[in-house]
Amino acid sequence: MAAGSERPTEAEPDRPIVQEGEASEGMSQLLSGILFMAIGTFALYLGRGYPVGSAGDMGPGYLPRLVAIGLVLVGLACALRGWLSGERGLPRFPLRAGFWIGGAVLAFALLIERAGLFVACLVAVLIAGGAEMQRRWRELPLVALVLAGFCALLFGYALRLPMQVWPL
């Protein structure tokens, strides 16, 4: 075998080689599990004052508490699986994608009341398109129009949510 070969040794034939600074699946699962447990615990804290009731006579806190407990349990399973995998490389955060997605959320929040749901969705999808490494500039406007139209039909007309759909 030549020096510098990328093949794993015979002792570990199927174990992937994780380079320093590279994301490992085990660490991603561990961090995801911790995040799920934190969100579930926070939801349990927020809903602590709602009456739960019973399965036969559900109170307003029954389903939220059930979902929060489920989230904590799923998080525990993910975190345990990630911990037991033994892989410890920290995942990289895609700064460029985070910038574009954050900008899209901010644009949506600023436009939803002023320009309406359709325009806010359209602009948010166009901005979020910058997060993709291999952008498809020809398809992006069509995808934005379809998604904005779907959101307007669903939330504005089918569900009749009390929000402005079109600009005034």
Side-chain angles (χ1 to χ4, degrees), residues 107-108 111-112 114-125 148 165-167:
F108 183 86
L111 288 172
I112 186 71
R114 292 177 183 87
L117 178 66
F118 182 82
V119 173
C121 285
L122 185 73
V123 170
V125 172
V165 176
W166 304 103

Side-chain angles (χ1 to χ4, degrees), residues 61-82:
Y62 187 85
L63 188 62
R65 185 167 295 176
L66 195 65
V67 171
I69 290 170
L71 193 56
V72 168
L73 292 175
V74 167
L76 183 63
C78 283
L80 228 94
R81 185 173 177 190

Side-chain angles (χ1 to χ4, degrees), residues 127-141:
I127 292 172
E132 186 180 359
M133 290 296 273
Q134 299 159 342
R135 286 179 217 93
R136 297 179 183 156
W137 291 111
R138 285 188 228 174
E139 291 109 355
L140 187 59

Side-chain angles (χ1 to χ4, degrees), residues 30-107:
L30 176 65
L31 294 175
S32 297
I34 291 170
L35 179 65
F36 290 161
M37 288 188 296
I39 292 171
T41 303
F42 186 62
L44 284 170
Y45 173 75
L46 287 179
R48 72 189 182 284
Y50 293 131
V52 178
S54 64
D57 185 25
M58 294 181 197
Y62 187 85
L63 188 62
R65 185 167 295 176
L66 195 65
V67 171
I69 290 170
L71 193 56
V72 168
L73 292 175
V74 167
L76 183 63
C78 283
L80 228 94
R81 185 173 177 190
W83 181 263
L84 294 175
S85 75
E87 298 174 9
R88 297 291 183 261
L90 284 176
R92 293 182 185 186
F93 181 76
L95 289 176
R96 189 172 138 268
F99 170 77
W100 286 105
I101 300 297
V105 171
L106 183 63

Side-chain angles (χ1 to χ4, degrees), residues 18-29:
V18 178
Q19 302 292 328
E20 186 177 333
E22 229 178 77
S24 71
E25 188 174 329
M27 184 57 83
S28 293
Q29 286 180 345

